[in-house]
Amino acid sequence: MKKLTIEAKVEYLDRVLAFVDEELEAAGCPMKTRMQIDVAVEEIFVNIASYAYAPGVGEAGIGIEIGGEPRCARIRFSDSGVPYDPLQRADPDITLPAEEREVGGLGIYMVKKTMDTVSYEHRDGQNLLAMEKRI
């Protein structure tokens, strides 16, 4: 697994996406799948940067590996911020007009819908979120 440890700041999102895209491109990942993965990576990293250490700043770890049968991209995020399982949040009611929906939750909903698997655990003081997408 290739790993990147970076300060969890929104302004470093481009570096995170470049790191992930380099591996996806090298693996011949189709553009549509790469875009779906990028949206999921952006959502998770921005949430870590915005909430995990607020009002301070800490580090985020991002790992990616590609392989297996069927061939999958496995991406793992870690941070030592406030424990939070985004998968426990109720899915937004997307049948309601936008102005009638509660604020928040749409990003993680998109992650759950576009990735094949998403899991979370809090272990040894770390938030660990893993996701997989068949490529």
Side-chain angles (χ1 to χ4, degrees), residues 67-101:
E69 199 52 50
R71 205 155 148 231
C72 290
R74 290 173 195 81
I75 301 161
R76 294 187 178 100
F77 291 87
S78 62
D79 68 78
S80 56
V82 175
Y84 178 69
D85 181 354
L87 304 179
Q88 292 302 310
R89 184 182 178 109
D91 290 341
D93 183 350
I94 59 171
T95 63
L96 293 174
E99 60 273 0
E100 292 179 26
R101 282 187 227 148

Side-chain angles (χ1 to χ4, degrees), residues 18-135:
F19 168 73
V20 170
D21 283 343
E22 182 179 328
E23 295 303 310
L24 295 174
E25 196 171 319
C29 181
M31 182 57 74
K32 179 181 177 184
T33 303
R34 197 164 87 200
M35 290 174 62
Q36 290 172 326
I37 292 170
D38 281 351
V39 167
V41 166
E42 178 176 348
E43 177 63 25
I44 300 304
F45 182 75
V46 168
N47 281 350
I48 292 169
S50 300
Y51 305 114
Y53 300 101
V57 177
E59 288 186 335
I62 300 96
I64 182 170
E65 67 181 349
I66 298 170
E69 199 52 50
R71 205 155 148 231
C72 290
R74 290 173 195 81
I75 301 161
R76 294 187 178 100
F77 291 87
S78 62
D79 68 78
S80 56
V82 175
Y84 178 69
D85 181 354
L87 304 179
Q88 292 302 310
R89 184 182 178 109
D91 290 341
D93 183 350
I94 59 171
T95 63
L96 293 174
E99 60 273 0
E100 292 179 26
R101 282 187 227 148
E102 280 188 47
V103 175
L106 194 54
I108 195 66
Y109 175 76
M110 289 179 1
V111 170
K112 292 191 296 189
K113 291 297 180 189
T114 58
M115 301 304 285
D116 295 316
T117 65
V118 184
S119 63
Y120 169 86
E121 68 176 312
H122 188 266
R123 185 179 64 220
D124 300 328
Q126 294 268 299
N127 291 300
L128 305 168
L129 187 134
M131 51 191 189
E132 287 188 8
K133 179 75 174 171
R134 281 186 294 281
I135 60 170

